[in-house]
């Protein structure tokens, strides 16, 4: 069984930074692509960023490109999301997720394990 636990959320002013972490249980963390999604109140969950199993390839939603950076430490079974130049529209619950063996990087349906989420609130 895989467990994903996010941390690092909080309240920050617009223009500020936060770093989210996701601690994964299990021995197969390094074999899977991982991603971050977010869900704002009244909106559907949306893709934010994803990283390949080795960490060598990344992909971002257009809305966060140039501001957010996804990375992973396979030795620590941990996924990160560095968020800079935060905007009020980044306010959401952020979820860490594991993609299945095959699937689209950005399709929510192709991710099989999810964390409980961490709240990020950006005040303007």
């Amino acid at each position: 069984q895989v467990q994903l636990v996010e941390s690092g959320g909080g309240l920050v002013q617009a223009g500020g930074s936060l770093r989210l972490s996701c601690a994964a249980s299990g021995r197969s963390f390094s074999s899977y692509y991982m991603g971050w999604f977010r869900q704002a109140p009244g909106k559907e969950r949306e893709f934010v960023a994803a990283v390949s199993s080795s960490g060598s390839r990344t992909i971002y939603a257009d809305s966060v490109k140039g501001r957010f950076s996804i990375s992973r430490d396979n030795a620590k079974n941990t996924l990160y999301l560095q968020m800079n130049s935060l905007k009020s529209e980044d306010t959401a619950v952020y979820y860490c997720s594991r993609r299945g063996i095959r699937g689209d990087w950005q399709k929510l349906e192709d991710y099989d394990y999810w964390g409980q989420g961490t709240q990020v609130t950006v005040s303007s």
Side-chain angles (χ1 to χ4, degrees), residues 53-118:
S53 53
S54 68
S56 62
R57 292 185 295 158
T58 58
I59 187 171
Y60 297 91
D62 288 343
S63 58
V64 306
K65 204 171 293 183
R67 300 187 298 121
F68 290 13
S69 177
I70 187 171
S71 62
R72 64 192 298 163
D73 186 336
N74 286 340
K76 295 182 178 179
N77 277 16
T78 303
L79 178 72
Y80 302 99
L81 185 68
Q82 177 67 43
M83 305 186 295
N84 299 327
S85 302
L86 283 161
K87 305 175 181 180
S88 57
E89 51 262 44
D90 295 319
T91 294
V93 177
Y94 283 72
Y95 297 90
C96 161
S97 184
R98 191 190 82 169
R99 202 197 72 175
I101 290 296
R102 292 181 182 85
D104 188 286
W105 286 69
Q106 303 185 52
K107 281 182 63 176
L108 184 149
E109 295 79 10
D110 288 341
Y111 286 75
D112 54 7
Y113 285 95
W114 295 84
Q116 83 290 348
T118 185

Side-chain angles (χ1 to χ4, degrees), residues 22-39:
C22 172
S25 66
R27 293 175 291 180
S28 59
F29 176 77
S30 62
S31 300
Y32 291 88
Y33 285 34
M34 297 293 295
W36 288 97
F37 290 75
R38 67 186 181 186
Q39 188 166 17

